[in-house]
């Protein structure tokens, strides 16, 4: 049915000079077909690829390293790692992400961190354990306290021990770091960056590494005492998510500033444990 509306003839002649063409869709072909599960991570300490060693395959980002450790300690091996994708390319603009190849009827998928445990359970089983690998309900509850300690004061110390950044970057970094509000780990809350004598309204938080050094030292001492001579934290028979998280923080702390690293190096059991777990995590990954 012809439209009851028509364009003026001069306008039709003008628009005829710009015809609308449609083209068939372009099929995207990968130059490197995905052969094995690949974890997208933040870059390691050095990005030079050494084909004879995986010494540079552990991410410098504690969140990415946590998931590397989780996958490896659950017994999954032969996982590739790549760090040429920016966080904006990941799900929700964050890394890590796990890219799984197509297998049988299952198509290739890109998984967010929250979906990684389910994928691992599908590979090695064990997803029906209500205790999450701990010996009893009490130890499972205790693990939550250690997670809070690591993601609280230890995370704050690690964040503040990073190399100095420009003043404006520090202004925003002290307020939040890695999606966590640093001020939430303090009681009473720290003073704001801007005070009564400033022309600017109160903003941010004034947190320094020296102001939390005592709490951080106590946290590392407690962690060392709780590990003791056990193979895994809380005396678990097999590694748990707490072990993956503890390894990620200990590894990053051992490469941080002297004032932060020294608290870990004083505890021989923590250093030996980190070295042993690092060997297992290294062996599970290859360069993509």
């Amino acid at each position: 049915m012809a439209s009851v509306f028509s364009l003026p003839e001069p306008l039709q002649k003008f628009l005829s000079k710009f015809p609308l063409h449609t083209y068939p869709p372009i099929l995207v072909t990968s130059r490197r077909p995905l052969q094995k599960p690949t974890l997208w991570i933040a870059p390691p300490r050095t990005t030079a690829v050494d084909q004879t060693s995986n010494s540079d395959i552990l991410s410098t980002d504690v969140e990415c390293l946590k998931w590397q450790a989780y996958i490896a300690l659950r017994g999954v091996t032969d996982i590739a790692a790549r760090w040429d994708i920016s966080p904006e390319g990941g799900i929700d603009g964050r890394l890590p992400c796990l890219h799984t190849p197509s297998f049988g009827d299952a198509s290739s998928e890109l998984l967010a961190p929250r979906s990684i445990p389910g994928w691992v359970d599908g590979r090695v089983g064990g997803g029906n354990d209500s205790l999450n690998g701990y010996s009893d309900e009490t130890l499972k509850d205790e693990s939550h306290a250690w997670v809070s300690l690591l993601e609280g004061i230890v995370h704050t110390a690690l964040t503040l021990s990073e190399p100095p950044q420009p003043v404006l970057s520090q202004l925003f970094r002290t307020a939040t770091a890695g999606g966590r509000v640093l001020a939430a780990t303090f009681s009473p809350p720290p003073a704001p960056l801007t005070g009564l004598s400033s022309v600017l309204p109160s903003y941010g938080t004034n947190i320094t590494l020296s102001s939390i050094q005592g709490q951080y030292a106590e946290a590392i001492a407690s962690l060392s005492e709780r590990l003791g001579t056990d193979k895994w934290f809380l005396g678990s028979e097999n590694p748990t998510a707490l072990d993956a998280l503890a390894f990620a923080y200990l590894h990053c702390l051992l490469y941080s500033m002297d004032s932060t690293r020294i608290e870990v190096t004083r505890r021989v059991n923590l250093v030996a444990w980190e070295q042993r777990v690092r060997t297992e995590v290294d062996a599970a990954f290859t360069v993509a």
Side-chain angles (χ1 to χ4, degrees), residues 27-226:
L27 298 178
V28 179
T29 57
S30 175
R31 291 178 295 176
R32 296 188 302 173
L34 194 64
Q35 301 294 335
K36 62 177 69 174
T38 303
L39 190 68
W40 299 359
I41 61 174
R45 202 151 278 102
T46 60
T47 56
V49 177
D50 183 359
Q51 299 294 344
T52 63
S53 172
N54 283 346
S55 59
D56 296 323
I57 207 168
L58 298 183
S59 176
T60 54
D61 178 75
V62 70
E63 185 70 13
C64 293
L65 184 55
K66 176 187 74 174
W67 287 107
Q68 282 187 274
Y70 178 85
I71 292 172
L73 295 180
R74 285 291 305 274
V76 181
T77 58
D78 197 25
I79 305 296
R82 60 182 300 182
W83 48 85
D84 57 340
I85 299 176
S86 66
E88 290 76 13
I91 298 177
D92 298 330
R94 294 182 179 181
L95 294 177
C97 291
L98 181 65
H99 192 189
T100 61
S102 57
F103 181 78
D105 296 334
S107 59
S108 177
E109 287 186 285
L110 186 63
L111 304 178
R114 59 181 176 272
S115 301
I116 292 178
W119 178 84
V120 173
D121 289 339
R123 295 287 296 265
V124 299
N128 297 323
D129 183 8
S130 61
L131 296 177
N132 297 332
Y134 301 103
S135 301
D136 53 47
E137 196 70 34
T138 302
L139 292 176
K140 179 183 176 182
D141 293 339
E142 183 184 347
S143 71
H144 300 322
W146 290 107
V147 169
S148 297
L149 183 72
L150 289 168
E151 294 186 339
I153 193 66
V154 175
H155 179 83
T156 303
L158 178 62
T159 301
L160 296 177
S161 66
E162 293 175 354
Q165 298 179 1
V167 177
L168 287 178
S169 298
Q170 291 185 356
L171 183 70
F172 292 99
R173 188 194 69 167
T174 52
T176 60
R180 300 181 179 92
V181 180
L182 298 186
T185 64
F186 291 84
S187 181
L193 279 176
T194 57
L196 296 176
S197 60
S198 173
V199 297
L200 300 175
S202 297
Y203 178 81
T205 51
N206 185 19
I207 305 174
T208 61
L209 185 58
S210 59
S211 66
I212 65 166
Q213 191 65 37
Q215 298 179 58
Y216 168 68
E218 290 180 4
I220 296 300
S222 300
L223 200 67
S224 174
E225 182 179 354
R226 189 62 180 90

Side-chain angles (χ1 to χ4, degrees), residues 191-277:
L193 279 176
T194 57
L196 296 176
S197 60
S198 173
V199 297
L200 300 175
S202 297
Y203 178 81
T205 51
N206 185 19
I207 305 174
T208 61
L209 185 58
S210 59
S211 66
I212 65 166
Q213 191 65 37
Q215 298 179 58
Y216 168 68
E218 290 180 4
I220 296 300
S222 300
L223 200 67
S224 174
E225 182 179 354
R226 189 62 180 90
L227 175 64
T229 57
D230 292 339
K231 184 177 181 180
W232 304 110
F233 275 96
L234 306 188
S236 300
E237 183 178 351
N238 297 306
T240 63
L242 175 60
D243 294 289
L245 183 66
F247 166 75
Y249 277 105
L250 290 175
H251 180 81
C252 291
L253 288 169
L254 287 171
Y255 285 92
S256 61
M257 292 172 53
D258 289 342
S259 58
T260 307
R261 182 179 66 249
I262 195 172
E263 292 297 335
V264 179
T265 56
R266 285 174 176 172
R267 278 78 188 183
V268 178
N269 65 332
L270 292 182
V271 175
W273 185 85
E274 186 275 338
Q275 291 176 345
R276 178 176 62 82
V277 177

